[in-house]
Amino acid sequence: MSPALDYFISTKAASVQSQTENNARPDLPDSPSDDETYYNARLDPVNYLEGPLSSNPATRLRQMLARPGIVVAPGICDGISARCAIEAGFNCLYQSGAATTASRLGQPDLAIATLNDFVGAASMVSSIDPCMPIIADADTGFGGPTMVARTVKQYAKAGVAALHIEDQVQTKRCGHLLGKQVVSRDEFITRVRAAVLARDAIPGNSDFVIIARTDSAQVLGMEEAIIRLQLAAKVGADVCFIEGVRTKELLESTVRALAPKPVLVNVISGGLTPSFTSSEAEAMGAKIIIFSLVSCVAMVHAVRLAMQSLKKTGTDFTSAQGMDPRAFFEVM
């Protein structure tokens, strides 16, 4: 049995321990001079610039992050939406917490879904295309540091490429709703550090990507949100994510403040963030754009119309639009 991880040790010790255990390549540069900054030479983006895309989804995502172009990840909520996204040609998917809660439980995004709900959904989606990078919402990590570590290991085992951990309280809510509450800086950084250490402890040199998300902008202001993500990057977060960026100028200033860390932006129609297109977000410097509710909102509209038509006409002929069982199964 491997020894328990100490989630409160210094980031320097964690980095040294990780590099020793993972046999980091000796020809890579040494750790930066700042002794408090986490550094794992094996995960340096320079190692992912060349070569064909990996069949490992986490490695593939790191390659996509290291190379030119924005990563566009549509939100999926079930197997059908995942199949449709793949059919449309997307090369990365996003498993939204709100969409997962809605599709599996028929409930709003109010801290109702559990780790088992999220992992079950992730396992199903990753089995559809094991090479497809999936970025998955992990809420607050579902508990303290030990539970955050368990979450990372469960997600990685399910085939997920990346997860994001946020700084809301355990009784969280959708990031685009008002009335959010966040934990202290220290508690947030402890969550991120726990996730990084858990990733580094996975046997076989895992490339699993840790995304630090803060919801503090609407509660404590943009300055505090940026400080929190700067601290998260310092303890090893691979990507930074401010939820609810309200303007183009704020997104651009966020990218500058967090450089060279990649920045993720979440676009929800009618939410706090303007409806940036993927090309607009790329021009602002964002590296990942997710459209969290694109599939489940479209599904509500489509299913409503189908049910209303069936109720009114007594047949599903119109809503089927000529799709017979064979055509439906071909999508699957």
Side-chain angles (χ1 to χ4, degrees):
M1 180 181 295
S2 60
L5 294 174
D6 184 349
Y7 303 108
F8 303 94
I9 63 177
S10 72
T11 53
K12 179 183 179 183
S15 178
V16 171
Q17 179 184 12
S18 169
Q19 291 183 62
T20 300
E21 291 177 349
N22 290 332
N23 297 317
R25 287 169 50 188
D27 56 317
L28 293 176
D30 294 330
S31 172
S33 58
D34 184 352
D35 289 343
E36 295 302 315
T37 300
Y38 170 94
Y39 182 70
N40 187 330
R42 183 180 61 79
L43 298 178
D44 193 302
V46 72
N47 299 323
Y48 300 90
L49 288 170
E50 305 293 338
L53 289 177
S54 173
S55 60
N56 179 291
T59 305
R60 178 174 290 214
L61 180 58
R62 286 190 179 273
Q63 291 172 320
M64 294 164 67
L65 292 174
R67 300 174 188 186
I70 191 169
V71 177
V72 182
I76 51 94
C77 57
D78 58 12
I80 297 175
S81 56
R83 289 285 189 187
C84 290
I86 294 170
E87 181 185 60
F90 288 99
N91 57 12
C92 184
L93 304 178
Y94 175 63
Q95 180 180 302
S96 158
T100 301
T101 303
S103 65
R104 295 181 73 86
L105 304 177
Q107 298 289 337
D109 186 13
L110 297 171
I112 296 171
T114 66
L115 172 61
N116 290 342
D117 293 319
F118 280 70
V119 171
S123 296
M124 179 273 297
V125 173
S126 64
S127 71
I128 293 174
D129 182 352
C131 297
M132 174 69 71
I134 300 167
I135 301 171
D137 190 346
D139 282 355
T140 62
F142 307 101
T146 303
M147 194 63 185
V148 170
R150 181 168 181 259
T151 298
V152 169
K153 293 173 182 175
Q154 292 277 326
Y155 274 46
K157 185 177 180 181
V160 172
L163 60 67
H164 59 74
I165 296 283
E166 68 195 50
D167 59 356
Q168 286 198 57
V169 297
Q170 294 296 336
T171 51
K172 61 144 292 175
R173 57 176 54 203
C174 170
H176 285 251
L177 297 178
L178 299 179
K180 296 184 291 185
Q181 294 179 306
V182 296
V183 298
S184 67
R185 283 186 195 175
D186 286 346
E187 185 169 347
F188 174 48
I189 299 309
T190 297
R191 289 177 183 175
V192 177
R193 180 185 290 116
V196 171
L197 293 179
R199 185 270 314 285
D200 290 351
I202 295 173
N205 296 341
S206 175
D207 281 339
F208 193 80
V209 175
I210 304 298
I211 302 172
R213 163 179 155 173
T214 182
D215 287 72
S216 61
Q218 291 77 50
V219 183
L220 303 173
M222 282 296 295
E223 182 178 355
E224 174 65 18
I226 289 173
I227 290 172
R228 287 181 176 224
L229 289 184
Q230 288 172 333
L231 293 171
K234 200 171 184 179
V235 299
D238 300 298
V239 177
C240 295
F241 172 9
I242 292 184
E243 182 67 290
V245 178
R246 290 180 177 270
T247 68
K248 169 182 180 289
E249 292 73 24
L250 286 175
L251 178 55
E252 290 173 335
S253 63
T254 297
V255 170
R256 288 193 299 270
L258 297 171
K261 286 292 180 182
V263 169
L264 181 154
V265 61
N266 180 23
V267 173
I268 297 177
S269 182
L272 296 174
T273 300
S275 294
F276 300 133
T277 66
S278 55
S279 57
E280 288 171 342
E282 182 176 13
M284 296 173 209
K287 189 60 185 177
I288 305 174
I289 184 168
I290 58 176
F291 296 89
S292 298
L293 300 183
V294 62
S295 61
C296 57
V297 168
M299 192 173 295
V300 168
H301 290 310
V303 174
R304 268 182 174 169
L305 287 175
M307 294 301 173
Q308 290 166 0
S309 175
L310 176 60
K311 180 69 174 176
K312 182 178 180 179
T313 67
T315 177
D316 69 345
F317 180 80
T318 301
S319 62
Q321 299 182 50
M323 179 176 280
D324 60 20
R326 181 187 180 94
F328 173 70
F329 294 141
E330 284 177 351
V331 178
M332 300 302 111

